[in-house]
Amino acid sequence: MNCSMFWKRFDIQAAPRLLLREISFRKIFQYLDTLPDPITIVETGCARMKDNWEGDGQSTILFDWYALNRGKGSLIHTIDLNKEATDVCRTLVSQNVIIHTGDSVNLLPNIGKQIKDNGRKLDLLYLDSYDLDWTNPTPSAVHHLKELTSIAPALNPKTLVVIDD
C-alpha cells in the first residue's frame, strides 16, 4: 500500500477547503492506513454537487481518491435516495464507486450480505444520509440507528463507524 499520492492530494486540494471537517477526515484516513488492502467503504448519502467542499464535504470524492491508492479491489458503496444526486455523483467518481439509488435502510442489508458473501470485510461505515436539524435532532438519530442495525451483520471488530450528523 502506498498512499503518498492520496495524502499529497488530500493536503493540497482537500484539507484547506474542508474547514473543520479536515480533522475528522484526516483521522478516518489515518485509521484506514493501518488496515490491509483491499479496503471496503460503505457510505450513505453521496456527493451531490461538484466542488461543494464547505457544504457537503465531498466525502464520496475523498473515499474514491483514497480507494484509488489502496490497491486493486478497493471499493466504495454509496447510497442516496435522490436520483439527481446519484446521477451527479456518477460524473464525479471512478469505477471504484458503486452507486445505489434508494432507501439506505432497505439497501444496506443486501450490500452487507454481498460484502460478506464475496469474502470482503467492511472497513468503514460512513453514515451521512439524514441532515441534522439542531432544533429536532431525533429524526436524524433514529434514521442513523436504523442504518446501523440494518448493516450490523457485516460489521467486524475493526470496522470504523462514523456518523456525520
Side-chain angles (χ1 to χ4, degrees), residues 128-160:
D128 188 22
S129 66
Y130 200 113
D131 291 332
L132 175 65
D133 176 354
W134 285 104
T135 62
N136 185 17
T138 303
S140 176
V142 168
H143 183 75
H144 288 113
L145 183 58
K146 288 179 182 178
E147 288 179 326
L148 181 61
T149 58
S150 71
I151 197 167
L155 302 179
N156 67 76
K158 291 191 176 185
T159 303
L160 177 62

Side-chain angles (χ1 to χ4, degrees), residues 46-51 60-61 64 84-95 97 99:
C46 70
R48 303 176 281 203
M49 184 185 306
K50 183 179 182 180
D51 292 326
T60 314
I61 308 302
D64 187 33
E84 290 176 18
T86 56
D87 288 345
V88 169
C89 189
R90 277 187 186 83
T91 70
L92 302 174
V93 296
S94 77
Q95 70 283 354
V97 181
I99 301 170

